[in-house]
Amino acid sequence: NAGVTQTPKFQVLKTGQSMTLQCAQDMNHEYMSWYRQDPGMGLRLIHYSVGAGITDQGEVPNGYNVSRSTTEDFPLRLLSAAPSQTSVYFCASSYAGQGVYEQYFGPGTRLTVT
Amino acid sequence: AQSVTQPDIHITVSEGASLELRCNYSYGATPYLFWYVQSPGQGLQLLLKYFSGDTLVQGIKGFEAEFKRSQSSFNLRKPSVHWSDAAEYFCAVGRAGANNLFFGTGTRLTVIP
């Protein structure tokens, strides 16, 4: 049981380049989300999904796209990277429903945009 | 709207001393509260959570937290800090039926020998 995995661990992009951050979980969790972590700002929600085929925007969605074609995978796409997107990105997953469930976090991807 | 305030950006304590990290939340209904810890270069690990019931909750690594509705607080405590507790600590609030969590800005803990 690997939990939540993220690839790559580190990435450097030039302004304007595109890339996809990968996230996968093997816990059969319905809910998955992406956060970015910036110094002094904690974690902010980018996008989330409550199941395959369902996604929604979080607090800071601009510049990012997501899709959820399977329960296991929730990739985050940067269409045209900007220096403001330099950050550490965390993927998380949990059960969904009327309860409140613990979120499990991946190890993070450190992205630098030059 | 939900929000979380962690008023202390950085705290330094001596090894063996007690610790209290503050967390205040803003939420109209019954909040669901979490404390996570992040070691350098690592992801976030859940320390403890409060959903309902006993307002004093025990977590891993000897941590505990107390929910005080009247003060809108959920402070994290440990009676004796170990050098391995040096990390960043995040308080978060959520609600039933909505999986999204709102995080505070974090408190960085330094432990000196």
Side-chain angles (χ1 to χ4, degrees):
Chain A
N1 200 340
V4 180
T5 58
Q6 292 183 238
T7 56
K9 295 198 73 170
F10 302 93
Q11 183 70 50
V12 179
L13 291 178
K14 295 187 186 309
T15 297
Q17 287 184 316
S18 64
M19 80 158 296
T20 300
L21 279 64
Q22 301 292 343
C23 174
Q25 53 91 9
D26 61 0
M27 297 173 281
N28 204 32
H29 286 164
E30 302 96 334
Y31 176 86
M32 296 185 73
S33 58
W34 278 101
Y35 293 87
R36 59 177 290 171
Q37 182 181 28
D38 302 293
M41 305 192 73
L43 278 77
R44 293 180 292 167
L45 183 65
I46 304 172
H47 285 285
Y48 65 97
S49 167
V50 296
I54 306 170
T55 63
D56 206 345
Q57 297 181 350
E59 183 184 355
V60 287
N62 292 340
Y64 307 95
N65 275 359
V66 292
S67 60
R68 183 97 177 269
S69 56
T70 67
T71 300
E72 295 78 20
D73 301 297
F74 191 44
L76 179 72
R77 297 183 188 84
L78 283 70
L79 301 178
S80 179
S84 61
Q85 294 177 304
T86 293
S87 187
V88 181
Y89 292 85
F90 289 100
C91 179
S93 74
S94 75
Y95 293 107
Q98 290 305 306
V100 180
Y101 303 98
E102 173 186 350
Q103 291 197 19
Y104 293 82
F105 284 82
T109 294
R110 183 174 295 274
L111 175 67
T112 302
V113 183
T114 62
Chain B
Q2 299 160 93
S3 67
V4 177
T5 302
Q6 294 180 249
D8 303 306
I9 296 172
H10 184 204
I11 285 182
T12 299
V13 300
S14 298
E15 190 168 16
S18 63
L19 171 70
E20 182 168 27
L21 302 183
R22 296 183 291 165
C23 172
N24 293 96
Y25 66 90
S26 172
Y27 184 58
T30 300
Y32 294 82
L33 297 158
F34 304 80
W35 274 99
Y36 282 86
V37 61
Q38 182 183 32
S39 298
Q42 303 297 312
L44 278 74
Q45 180 184 23
L46 182 71
L47 280 177
L48 47 79
K49 59 193 176 191
Y50 172 78
F51 289 175
S52 64
D54 193 345
T55 57
L56 183 64
V57 294
Q58 304 296 321
I60 62 171
K61 305 185 181 187
F63 285 92
E64 67 178 26
E66 187 171 12
F67 171 58
K68 294 185 176 180
R69 184 185 299 275
S70 62
Q71 298 177 19
S72 298
S73 68
F74 189 56
N75 293 349
L76 182 70
R77 301 194 294 248
K78 187 169 185 178
S80 178
V81 170
H82 188 262
W83 64 266
S84 60
D85 293 324
E88 187 143 21
Y89 292 80
F90 292 94
C91 182
V93 64
R95 62 179 175 88
N99 292 88
N100 302 344
L101 295 182
F102 291 85
F103 283 84
T105 52
T107 297
R108 184 160 62 93
L109 174 66
T110 297
V111 180
I112 56 177

